[in-house]
Amino acid sequence: MERPSWDEYFMHMAELVATRSTCMRRQVGAVIVKDKRIITTGYNGAPKGIAHCDERGGCLREKLNIPSGERHELCLALHAEQNAIIQAATLAQSIEGSTIYVTHQPCVICAKMIINAGIRRIVVREGYPDELSIQLLEEAGLRVVRLREN
């Protein structure tokens, strides 16, 4: 019997979480894990009580031809990492010293939140075009571990 590694196991969970995403451009899932236990999950989508882009007639960033990795403030959605961190705060769960599994590399905004939340390890499946994010994470002593598909 061959079992997945812990990293693969939790990445599969992040991929499942991503299926709940309401983003029209990219479905992203995040799982925050501490001591091999899931603390919180998050996916990208509009804030509570706010209409999703498909209910508004499409993605504003698509309409404005904004490339990936730019002008995050023009997106109505919260990112998966943001939702997972917010959920931890809402539940009064410490995530300091945890690992975050994300289907895609964090953007610079999420990188700053991850640093300040005290998350110590980041595992991703796919990259994202945001070099400043990687620079900040490296300066903070965090390395992004990229898992390959099996």
mmCIF file of all heavy atoms in Angstrom, residues 56-80:
data_model
loop_
_atom_site.group_PDB
_atom_site.id
_atom_site.type_symbol
_atom_site.label_atom_id
_atom_site.label_comp_id
_atom_site.label_asym_id
_atom_site.label_seq_id
_atom_site.Cartn_x
_atom_site.Cartn_y
_atom_site.Cartn_z
ATOM 1 N N ARG A 56 -22.744 39.175 -11.305
ATOM 2 C CA ARG A 56 -22.597 40.577 -11.689
ATOM 3 C C ARG A 56 -22.349 40.736 -13.183
ATOM 4 O O ARG A 56 -22.044 41.824 -13.647
ATOM 5 C CB ARG A 56 -21.421 41.209 -10.932
ATOM 6 C CG ARG A 56 -21.612 41.313 -9.461
ATOM 7 C CD ARG A 56 -20.318 41.822 -8.819
ATOM 8 N NE ARG A 56 -20.497 42.015 -7.406
ATOM 9 C CZ ARG A 56 -20.896 43.154 -6.840
ATOM 10 N NH1 ARG A 56 -21.121 44.214 -7.580
ATOM 11 N NH2 ARG A 56 -21.045 43.237 -5.543
ATOM 12 N N GLY A 57 -22.372 39.645 -13.902
ATOM 13 C CA GLY A 57 -22.155 39.727 -15.339
ATOM 14 C C GLY A 57 -20.703 39.558 -15.767
ATOM 15 O O GLY A 57 -20.348 39.887 -16.895
ATOM 16 N N GLY A 58 -19.871 39.062 -14.881
ATOM 17 C CA GLY A 58 -18.492 38.768 -15.258
ATOM 18 C C GLY A 58 -17.462 39.367 -14.330
ATOM 19 O O GLY A 58 -17.763 40.124 -13.412
ATOM 20 N N CYS A 59 -16.240 39.022 -14.614
ATOM 21 C CA CYS A 59 -15.087 39.432 -13.818
ATOM 22 C C CYS A 59 -14.628 40.828 -14.242
ATOM 23 O O CYS A 59 -14.349 41.067 -15.422
ATOM 24 C CB CYS A 59 -13.952 38.419 -14.016
ATOM 25 S SG CYS A 59 -12.375 38.898 -13.289
ATOM 26 N N LEU A 60 -14.540 41.739 -13.294
ATOM 27 C CA LEU A 60 -14.105 43.106 -13.579
ATOM 28 C C LEU A 60 -12.677 43.123 -14.118
ATOM 29 O O LEU A 60 -12.375 43.848 -15.070
ATOM 30 C CB LEU A 60 -14.195 43.959 -12.307
ATOM 31 C CG LEU A 60 -13.705 45.403 -12.424
ATOM 32 C CD1 LEU A 60 -14.517 46.181 -13.463
ATOM 33 C CD2 LEU A 60 -13.770 46.085 -11.073
ATOM 34 N N ARG A 61 -11.789 42.323 -13.560
ATOM 35 C CA ARG A 61 -10.400 42.290 -14.025
ATOM 36 C C ARG A 61 -10.303 41.781 -15.458
ATOM 37 O O ARG A 61 -9.495 42.262 -16.235
ATOM 38 C CB ARG A 61 -9.540 41.454 -13.075
ATOM 39 C CG ARG A 61 -9.356 42.135 -11.718
ATOM 40 C CD ARG A 61 -8.754 41.215 -10.671
ATOM 41 N NE ARG A 61 -7.607 40.476 -11.130
ATOM 42 C CZ ARG A 61 -6.344 40.899 -11.053
ATOM 43 N NH1 ARG A 61 -6.073 42.077 -10.532
ATOM 44 N NH2 ARG A 61 -5.361 40.154 -11.496
ATOM 45 N N GLU A 62 -11.154 40.817 -15.807
ATOM 46 C CA GLU A 62 -11.197 40.329 -17.196
ATOM 47 C C GLU A 62 -11.688 41.435 -18.125
ATOM 48 O O GLU A 62 -11.124 41.648 -19.191
ATOM 49 C CB GLU A 62 -12.110 39.105 -17.319
ATOM 50 C CG GLU A 62 -11.532 37.833 -16.759
ATOM 51 C CD GLU A 62 -10.412 37.275 -17.597
ATOM 52 O OE1 GLU A 62 -10.486 37.343 -18.852
ATOM 53 O OE2 GLU A 62 -9.441 36.783 -17.008
ATOM 54 N N LYS A 63 -12.739 42.123 -17.713
ATOM 55 C CA LYS A 63 -13.292 43.202 -18.539
ATOM 56 C C LYS A 63 -12.272 44.306 -18.797
ATOM 57 O O LYS A 63 -12.261 44.920 -19.858
ATOM 58 C CB LYS A 63 -14.535 43.800 -17.865
ATOM 59 C CG LYS A 63 -15.738 42.887 -17.869
ATOM 60 C CD LYS A 63 -16.909 43.519 -17.136
ATOM 61 C CE LYS A 63 -18.078 42.566 -17.061
ATOM 62 N NZ LYS A 63 -19.191 43.118 -16.283
ATOM 63 N N LEU A 64 -11.406 44.555 -17.807
ATOM 64 C CA LEU A 64 -10.395 45.609 -17.929
ATOM 65 C C LEU A 64 -9.065 45.082 -18.472
ATOM 66 O O LEU A 64 -8.097 45.840 -18.550
ATOM 67 C CB LEU A 64 -10.175 46.269 -16.561
ATOM 68 C CG LEU A 64 -11.387 46.992 -15.968
ATOM 69 C CD1 LEU A 64 -11.090 47.471 -14.548
ATOM 70 C CD2 LEU A 64 -11.814 48.149 -16.853
ATOM 71 N N ASN A 65 -9.024 43.801 -18.844
ATOM 72 C CA ASN A 65 -7.808 43.163 -19.380
ATOM 73 C C ASN A 65 -6.596 43.311 -18.460
ATOM 74 O O ASN A 65 -5.484 43.602 -18.907
ATOM 75 C CB ASN A 65 -7.469 43.706 -20.775
ATOM 76 C CG ASN A 65 -8.507 43.316 -21.783
ATOM 77 O OD1 ASN A 65 -8.953 42.181 -21.818
ATOM 78 N ND2 ASN A 65 -8.915 44.270 -22.611
ATOM 79 N N ILE A 66 -6.814 43.114 -17.178
ATOM 80 C CA ILE A 66 -5.729 43.212 -16.199
ATOM 81 C C ILE A 66 -5.031 41.855 -16.103
ATOM 82 O O ILE A 66 -5.668 40.838 -15.845
ATOM 83 C CB ILE A 66 -6.273 43.645 -14.821
ATOM 84 C CG1 ILE A 66 -6.907 45.039 -14.943
ATOM 85 C CG2 ILE A 66 -5.178 43.614 -13.765
ATOM 86 C CD1 ILE A 66 -7.665 45.493 -13.739
ATOM 87 N N PRO A 67 -3.716 41.829 -16.306
ATOM 88 C CA PRO A 67 -2.990 40.556 -16.249
ATOM 89 C C PRO A 67 -2.928 39.987 -14.829
ATOM 90 O O PRO A 67 -3.047 40.728 -13.848
ATOM 91 C CB PRO A 67 -1.580 40.915 -16.736
ATOM 92 C CG PRO A 67 -1.594 42.334 -17.137
ATOM 93 C CD PRO A 67 -2.867 42.953 -16.670
ATOM 94 N N SER A 68 -2.702 38.688 -14.742
ATOM 95 C CA SER A 68 -2.516 38.040 -13.445
ATOM 96 C C SER A 68 -1.358 38.696 -12.712
ATOM 97 O O SER A 68 -0.375 39.108 -13.320
ATOM 98 C CB SER A 68 -2.209 36.557 -13.628
ATOM 99 O OG SER A 68 -3.343 35.883 -14.078
ATOM 100 N N GLY A 69 -1.503 38.793 -11.392
ATOM 101 C CA GLY A 69 -0.437 39.342 -10.569
ATOM 102 C C GLY A 69 -0.432 40.854 -10.453
ATOM 103 O O GLY A 69 0.438 41.416 -9.795
ATOM 104 N N GLU A 70 -1.408 41.528 -11.063
ATOM 105 C CA GLU A 70 -1.445 42.991 -11.023
ATOM 106 C C GLU A 70 -2.816 43.482 -10.555
ATOM 107 O O GLU A 70 -3.820 42.818 -10.750
ATOM 108 C CB GLU A 70 -1.177 43.563 -12.421
ATOM 109 C CG GLU A 70 0.197 43.236 -12.956
ATOM 110 C CD GLU A 70 0.437 43.811 -14.347
ATOM 111 O OE1 GLU A 70 -0.332 44.702 -14.778
ATOM 112 O OE2 GLU A 70 1.393 43.361 -14.998
ATOM 113 N N ARG A 71 -2.811 44.665 -9.946
ATOM 114 C CA ARG A 71 -4.033 45.398 -9.559
ATOM 115 C C ARG A 71 -5.019 44.549 -8.751
ATOM 116 O O ARG A 71 -6.214 44.517 -9.030
ATOM 117 C CB ARG A 71 -4.724 45.979 -10.789
ATOM 118 C CG ARG A 71 -3.878 46.865 -11.681
ATOM 119 C CD ARG A 71 -3.495 48.209 -11.076
ATOM 120 N NE ARG A 71 -4.539 48.935 -10.412
ATOM 121 C CZ ARG A 71 -5.346 49.825 -10.982
ATOM 122 N NH1 ARG A 71 -5.224 50.077 -12.263
ATOM 123 N NH2 ARG A 71 -6.250 50.456 -10.269
ATOM 124 N N HIS A 72 -4.512 43.901 -7.714
ATOM 125 C CA HIS A 72 -5.359 43.039 -6.870
ATOM 126 C C HIS A 72 -6.537 43.787 -6.251
ATOM 127 O O HIS A 72 -7.568 43.185 -5.963
ATOM 128 C CB HIS A 72 -4.520 42.413 -5.747
ATOM 129 C CG HIS A 72 -3.418 41.543 -6.235
ATOM 130 N ND1 HIS A 72 -3.638 40.302 -6.782
ATOM 131 C CD2 HIS A 72 -2.083 41.739 -6.285
ATOM 132 C CE1 HIS A 72 -2.490 39.772 -7.129
ATOM 133 N NE2 HIS A 72 -1.534 40.622 -6.846
ATOM 134 N N GLU A 73 -6.373 45.089 -6.065
ATOM 135 C CA GLU A 73 -7.443 45.865 -5.433
ATOM 136 C C GLU A 73 -8.702 45.953 -6.302
ATOM 137 O O GLU A 73 -9.769 46.313 -5.816
ATOM 138 C CB GLU A 73 -6.940 47.283 -5.082
ATOM 139 C CG GLU A 73 -6.788 48.231 -6.252
ATOM 140 C CD GLU A 73 -5.496 48.083 -7.058
ATOM 141 O OE1 GLU A 73 -4.724 47.149 -6.806
ATOM 142 O OE2 GLU A 73 -5.275 48.917 -7.958
ATOM 143 N N LEU A 74 -8.600 45.612 -7.577
ATOM 144 C CA LEU A 74 -9.768 45.649 -8.457
ATOM 145 C C LEU A 74 -10.515 44.322 -8.506
ATOM 146 O O LEU A 74 -11.419 44.154 -9.310
ATOM 147 C CB LEU A 74 -9.348 46.068 -9.869
ATOM 148 C CG LEU A 74 -8.832 47.503 -9.977
ATOM 149 C CD1 LEU A 74 -8.399 47.811 -11.401
ATOM 150 C CD2 LEU A 74 -9.883 48.499 -9.513
ATOM 151 N N CYS A 75 -10.162 43.414 -7.636
ATOM 152 C CA CYS A 75 -10.848 42.127 -7.560
ATOM 153 C C CYS A 75 -11.825 42.155 -6.394
ATOM 154 O O CYS A 75 -11.480 42.608 -5.301
ATOM 155 C CB CYS A 75 -9.818 41.008 -7.357
ATOM 156 S SG CYS A 75 -10.555 39.376 -7.209
ATOM 157 N N LEU A 76 -13.029 41.664 -6.613
ATOM 158 C CA LEU A 76 -14.030 41.627 -5.547
ATOM 159 C C LEU A 76 -13.782 40.498 -4.549
ATOM 160 O O LEU A 76 -14.289 40.528 -3.434
ATOM 161 C CB LEU A 76 -15.428 41.450 -6.146
ATOM 162 C CG LEU A 76 -15.943 42.599 -7.000
ATOM 163 C CD1 LEU A 76 -17.282 42.249 -7.604
ATOM 164 C CD2 LEU A 76 -16.041 43.863 -6.170
ATOM 165 N N ALA A 77 -13.018 39.512 -4.937
ATOM 166 C CA ALA A 77 -12.829 38.325 -4.103
ATOM 167 C C ALA A 77 -11.734 38.511 -3.063
ATOM 168 O O ALA A 77 -10.774 39.245 -3.266
ATOM 169 C CB ALA A 77 -12.486 37.124 -4.982
ATOM 170 N N LEU A 78 -11.911 37.796 -1.972
ATOM 171 C CA LEU A 78 -10.819 37.571 -1.036
ATOM 172 C C LEU A 78 -10.054 36.376 -1.548
ATOM 173 O O LEU A 78 -10.631 35.465 -2.148
ATOM 174 C CB LEU A 78 -11.372 37.246 0.361
ATOM 175 C CG LEU A 78 -11.938 38.448 1.095
ATOM 176 C CD1 LEU A 78 -13.227 38.096 1.764
ATOM 177 C CD2 LEU A 78 -10.909 38.936 2.088
ATOM 178 N N HIS A 79 -8.760 36.352 -1.304
ATOM 179 C CA HIS A 79 -7.954 35.215 -1.725
ATOM 180 C C HIS A 79 -8.101 34.072 -0.729
ATOM 181 O O HIS A 79 -8.493 34.276 0.425
ATOM 182 C CB HIS A 79 -6.495 35.624 -1.862
ATOM 183 C CG HIS A 79 -6.248 36.528 -3.021
ATOM 184 N ND1 HIS A 79 -4.990 36.904 -3.415
ATOM 185 C CD2 HIS A 79 -7.098 37.116 -3.887
ATOM 186 C CE1 HIS A 79 -5.069 37.686 -4.480
ATOM 187 N NE2 HIS A 79 -6.349 37.838 -4.782
ATOM 188 N N ALA A 80 -7.781 32.874 -1.176
ATOM 189 C CA ALA A 80 -7.917 31.677 -0.345
ATOM 190 C C ALA A 80 -7.125 31.812 0.955
ATOM 191 O O ALA A 80 -7.620 31.473 2.037
ATOM 192 C CB ALA A 80 -7.453 30.451 -1.132
#
